[in-house]
Amino acid sequence: MNTSAYDILIVGGGAAGFFAAINAAEFNPKLRIAILERGKEVLQKVKISGGGRCNVTHAEFLPKELSKKYPRGEKELLGPFHNFMTGDSIAWFAEKGIELKTEEDGRMFPVTDDSQTIIDCFTKSCRRLGIEIRTKTSLQDLQQEQEGWKLKTSKGNFSAKKLLLATGSNSKIWQLLEKLGYDMVEAVPSLFTFNIQDDRIDGLAGVAREAEVRIQQTKLQSSGPLLITHWGMSGPAILKLSAWGARELHRLKYQFQIKVNWIPGMEADGMLEKLKELKIAHSRQFVPSRPQFDLSKRLWQKLVRAANIPEKTNWADLNKNQLQSLAEELTASVFQVNGKSIFKEEFVTAGGIDLKQVNFKTFESKIHPNLFFAGEILNIDAITGGFNFQNAWTGGFVAAKAMAKN
């Protein structure tokens, strides 16, 4: 069978793969480069990211602070971020005619609010640079040769002097890598929402609130906006916990309790004193009728009811137990979590190639020369907000620079 020969082959037609291919071709236009993608379409995750708007990166411009957004990969990415990070990504897309905008929470999107803008940029760049894109081509086997790598695929054989794998959490590729001697850290979900059935949040879908959240019997805690949904809780406060606790929550089979403080910075004792002051100040008012502490009226009423305070109770009539109970509901509501849901179709996993086996100056394998990795195939993942794409851009760029040499 004939073998198609290339200078660089990239397996995986996602964000990291395309970014690596385009940059390698720009560093060295003489190279023959191809992207092999097993699916019918390329850049599918880019298409659905950010609700179809593509959360390209995040407005964090200090390498050390940026690296802290990665529960797995923080130490390893610090060096690469000094070579290529947020500002470089913004400049790279601007050079291609794509302007990015920053939202209040720091997330950055194309001004078009359309992920197709990014997809078109990548596919047009490939055409301009002569990069071949081969879809429906799945990798079946690979072996090292003197002059590089030989690949057996569903569409024939390929050879390349340099090979980059950017296949995410594709289990077949992981099995091939294990045969080659790589330690693969088991994939578990990261970035997910919590399923909670509880009267206190029933009917409150869409209510958002700054909160502090702690997972009981663990050291996991976070703060930030919490969003009540039809199935439970989401928002940055929850998603951060799901990322940092990916392995621990997997071990708990997604059955655990969380403690929510709806009034960040306030503890139950301090809250009790505040409620005693309100008891005097609003003595003749019904407790549920006027929400306190900037809580939404519906959430306030739910928490008041949970504290066993009847609807027609005046502040003056609250007894010691009711005050104590309300203080605890406001600062330490305990909820049972039973399972998880995917966040906005953005399926992110923790797991992949053990980071000790990769040289992060080049993203090249320490075991096999001329074999590179980028994106989620590595045991690197981030909290939500554009950080997973930034890992793809950084890894793709650094690997491209190394592959384009010689």
Side-chain angles (χ1 to χ4, degrees):
M1 193 183 282
N2 288 339
T3 299
S4 303
Y6 292 86
D7 295 302
I8 295 173
L9 275 175
I10 287 162
V11 182
F18 267 81
F19 208 74
I22 292 163
N23 281 289
E26 288 182 337
F27 283 126
N28 188 344
K30 292 176 187 169
L31 297 174
R32 190 174 180 212
I33 301 171
I35 297 169
L36 310 182
E37 164 58 41
R38 65 175 174 157
K40 283 189 256 181
E41 303 283 338
V42 293
L43 299 162
Q44 284 303 287
K45 263 199 177 180
V46 171
K47 194 175 184 66
I48 62 171
S49 141
R53 297 195 296 142
C54 190
N55 186 181
V56 175
T57 186
H58 198 97
E60 174 52 73
F61 298 96
L62 300 172
K64 184 114 176 117
E65 290 307 308
L66 182 61
S67 69
K68 286 178 184 172
K69 304 298 189 284
Y70 296 81
R72 285 145 293 271
E74 176 181 349
K75 179 166 63 81
E76 290 78 9
L77 286 174
L78 186 55
F81 281 156
H82 278 92
N83 289 332
F84 191 94
M85 60 171 285
T86 315
D88 305 296
S89 301
I90 295 165
W92 192 93
F93 283 104
E95 202 178 90
K96 306 283 187 288
I98 295 172
E99 190 187 340
L100 303 180
K101 60 172 181 176
T102 307
E103 304 210 330
E104 266 183 49
D105 58 5
R107 292 180 303 156
M108 299 191 75
F109 295 87
V111 291
T112 58
D113 274 331
D114 188 355
S115 57
Q116 195 61 42
T117 305
I118 305 299
I119 293 169
D120 291 346
C121 163
F122 286 165
T123 51
K124 281 175 188 167
S125 294
C126 285
R127 280 199 296 276
R128 175 174 58 83
L129 295 160
I131 297 164
E132 293 177 41
I133 301 169
R134 293 176 172 245
T135 53
K136 297 188 200 167
T137 306
S138 60
L139 179 61
Q140 295 168 341
D141 200 11
L142 73 159
Q143 59 192 67
Q144 193 174 30
E145 295 187 319
Q146 267 188 329
E147 289 298 306
W149 290 87
K150 189 172 182 183
L151 283 69
K152 183 184 171 190
T153 79
S154 57
K155 290 281 183 77
N157 295 335
F158 294 82
S159 70
K161 292 170 188 167
K162 294 188 168 76
L163 172 64
L164 179 133
L165 298 180
T167 49
S169 50
N170 179 335
S171 58
K172 285 182 182 169
I173 305 295
W174 288 26
Q175 285 163 14
L176 287 179
L177 287 169
E178 279 181 326
K179 282 186 199 165
L180 287 172
Y182 291 88
D183 298 324
M184 304 303 292
V185 181
E186 181 201 6
V188 300
S190 178
L191 282 194
F192 48 85
T193 61
F194 294 174
N195 293 355
I196 300 168
Q197 293 293 316
D198 194 292
D199 285 345
R200 288 167 293 177
I201 59 169
D202 187 36
L204 298 187
V207 170
R209 169 79 191 175
E210 285 286 327
E212 293 168 350
V213 187
R214 184 186 298 266
I215 296 178
Q216 304 278 65
Q217 274 101 41
T218 76
K219 292 177 179 173
L220 295 164
Q221 57 183 350
S222 81
S223 60
L226 182 154
L227 173 68
I228 297 171
T229 68
H230 291 291
W231 57 88
M233 291 182 186
S234 182
I238 298 296
L239 295 166
K240 278 190 273 186
L241 282 176
S242 73
W244 287 101
R247 299 217 160 269
E248 200 158 353
L249 301 183
H250 178 69
R251 278 196 293 274
L252 294 171
K253 297 185 167 66
Y254 309 104
Q255 307 288 322
F256 52 91
Q257 289 186 327
I258 60 170
K259 190 179 277 189
V260 178
N261 184 347
W262 301 101
I263 320 295
M266 181 75 73
E267 295 300 324
D269 290 350
M271 177 54 69
L272 185 58
E273 294 310 308
K274 287 271 183 197
L275 293 176
K276 285 175 181 173
E277 290 170 16
L278 288 169
K279 179 175 172 162
I280 296 164
H282 301 311
S283 58
R284 294 188 176 183
Q285 287 178 9
F286 289 137
V287 180
S289 65
R290 185 184 288 179
Q292 303 296 325
F293 311 106
D294 294 324
L295 286 168
S296 79
K297 188 167 187 176
R298 290 186 299 155
L299 178 57
W300 169 255
Q301 289 174 339
K302 290 270 191 181
L303 296 176
V304 167
R305 192 176 306 149
N308 293 316
I309 299 169
E311 208 172 319
K312 300 290 184 188
T313 307
N314 287 327
W315 277 95
D317 296 332
L318 289 179
N319 62 38
K320 188 180 170 185
N321 287 346
Q322 287 171 322
L323 285 168
Q324 184 66 48
S325 184
L326 183 54
E328 282 173 15
E329 283 297 340
L330 289 165
T331 59
S333 294
V334 176
F335 294 89
Q336 177 65 41
V337 176
N338 293 305
K340 59 178 174 49
S341 296
I342 291 173
F343 171 63
K344 286 187 180 172
E345 300 175 312
E346 291 185 36
F347 187 64
V348 174
T349 56
I353 297 164
D354 191 309
L355 304 183
K356 291 194 282 293
Q357 296 177 311
V358 179
N359 172 5
F360 282 91
K361 287 181 178 166
T362 55
F363 282 74
E364 186 173 12
S365 163
K366 287 181 180 176
I367 302 173
H368 298 99
N370 299 321
L371 176 60
F372 297 78
F373 308 105
E376 283 185 47
I377 193 171
L378 295 161
N379 183 26
I380 292 175
D381 63 286
I383 63 172
T384 185
F387 301 105
N388 283 301
F389 274 140
Q390 186 55 55
N391 169 44
W393 313 144
T394 296
F397 182 88
V398 174
K401 200 170 187 181
M403 290 191 296
K405 279 181 182 171
N406 312 317

